[in-house]
Amino acid sequence: MTRRPLSRFSLVAAAVGLLAISAVNVAPSLAAEDAVVIPPPAVDDQAASGIQTAVLAGGCFWGVQGVFQHTKGVVNAVSGYSGGSQMTADYHMVSTGTTGHAESVQIKYDPKKISYGKILQIFFSVAHDPTQLNRQGPDTGTQYRSAIFTTSDEQKKVADAYIAQLNAAGVYKKPIVTKVGPLQAFFAAEAYHQDYLTLHPTQPYIAYNDIPKVENLKKIFADNYTEKPTLVSENKATN
């Protein structure tokens, strides 16, 4: 089933009404959801130098972006679209589930401070559930699929090996469905999608679905967590 365009905003509007009735301050009182503690990758990219790029898709890009904006070593994280053409890289079109795009996040990182394998460990552990096929939480459709868009042969090697390692270890109750394939292009999303978690922390969709991911990052990956997010609005390294 494909969600209608702007479905997340409809969900937010409905939830706002409920919160107004109950007068609950969601963000401070919400406990973090359970995350899956997983082993680090046995195979990692040891040769990378200079600022590197990872592109990941794991449901709504608001939460994935928010997690990596709070990750040490990440110099920028931009919400956008991958898997389709430039002509259809538009939120309203992508939301139909017919464009081939997945809501994705382009992550620029310093391999001296964080490795590609560590980024994947965070991605699989706290940023999303890699066993959900064409959905994530309340969002359904191929645009919310779990995917790794690799930018080098070494990234593909690390990603494939890590998925095989995690499946063999049985750390999830179901097999990982994440698709690994080469990045053809990444298109930045509209400005109003950028830094969404930071700008709207008490919006019900963010509070229920995404703030717990950042809390889990802080709890499980304390050494990789930074309190101050790296924001697109403050960062020019978007290409």
Side-chain angles (χ1 to χ4, degrees), residues 114-195:
I114 188 170
S115 71
Y116 183 66
K118 177 60 70 173
I119 285 174
L120 293 187
Q121 187 182 12
I122 292 170
F123 176 63
F124 284 130
S125 175
V126 303
H128 86 308
D129 178 354
T131 70
Q132 294 192 43
L133 181 62
N134 295 333
R135 68 169 299 134
Q136 202 64 212
D139 301 316
T140 61
T142 57
Q143 68 271 31
Y144 299 112
R145 65 188 181 272
S146 175
I148 298 172
F149 297 95
T150 58
T151 61
S152 68
D153 291 341
E154 189 65 22
Q155 283 192 358
K156 178 173 171 49
K157 176 182 176 182
V158 173
D160 286 339
Y162 197 26
I163 291 172
Q165 174 190 340
L166 294 176
N167 278 330
V171 296
Y172 301 101
K173 295 179 180 179
K174 297 183 293 183
I176 293 172
V177 298
T178 308
K179 298 296 184 184
V180 179
L183 176 69
Q184 300 300 323
F186 172 84
F187 306 100
E190 296 80 358
Y192 64 88
H193 285 300
Q194 307 302 338
D195 305 333

Side-chain angles (χ1 to χ4, degrees), residues 34-208:
D34 290 337
V36 180
V37 178
I38 61 177
V43 176
D44 206 342
D45 186 356
Q46 304 298 332
S49 61
I51 300 302
Q52 299 292 305
T53 301
V55 178
L56 307 174
C60 171
F61 43 30
W62 294 342
V64 178
Q65 182 192 44
V67 166
F68 286 104
Q69 287 183 322
H70 281 278
T71 300
K72 290 180 181 177
V74 171
V75 299
N76 205 14
V78 180
S79 290
Y81 313 107
S82 292
S85 71
Q86 184 174 8
M87 292 180 61
T88 59
D90 169 86
Y91 180 68
H92 296 272
M93 297 180 70
V94 172
S95 293
T96 67
T98 62
T99 65
H101 280 296
E103 291 196 8
S104 307
V105 176
Q106 180 193 70
I107 302 160
K108 301 280 189 177
Y109 66 98
D110 184 348
K112 293 181 180 179
K113 298 179 179 179
I114 188 170
S115 71
Y116 183 66
K118 177 60 70 173
I119 285 174
L120 293 187
Q121 187 182 12
I122 292 170
F123 176 63
F124 284 130
S125 175
V126 303
H128 86 308
D129 178 354
T131 70
Q132 294 192 43
L133 181 62
N134 295 333
R135 68 169 299 134
Q136 202 64 212
D139 301 316
T140 61
T142 57
Q143 68 271 31
Y144 299 112
R145 65 188 181 272
S146 175
I148 298 172
F149 297 95
T150 58
T151 61
S152 68
D153 291 341
E154 189 65 22
Q155 283 192 358
K156 178 173 171 49
K157 176 182 176 182
V158 173
D160 286 339
Y162 197 26
I163 291 172
Q165 174 190 340
L166 294 176
N167 278 330
V171 296
Y172 301 101
K173 295 179 180 179
K174 297 183 293 183
I176 293 172
V177 298
T178 308
K179 298 296 184 184
V180 179
L183 176 69
Q184 300 300 323
F186 172 84
F187 306 100
E190 296 80 358
Y192 64 88
H193 285 300
Q194 307 302 338
D195 305 333
Y196 203 88
L197 182 146
T198 297
L199 295 175
H200 308 282
T202 59
Q203 259 201 28
Y205 182 96
I206 293 294
Y208 281 113

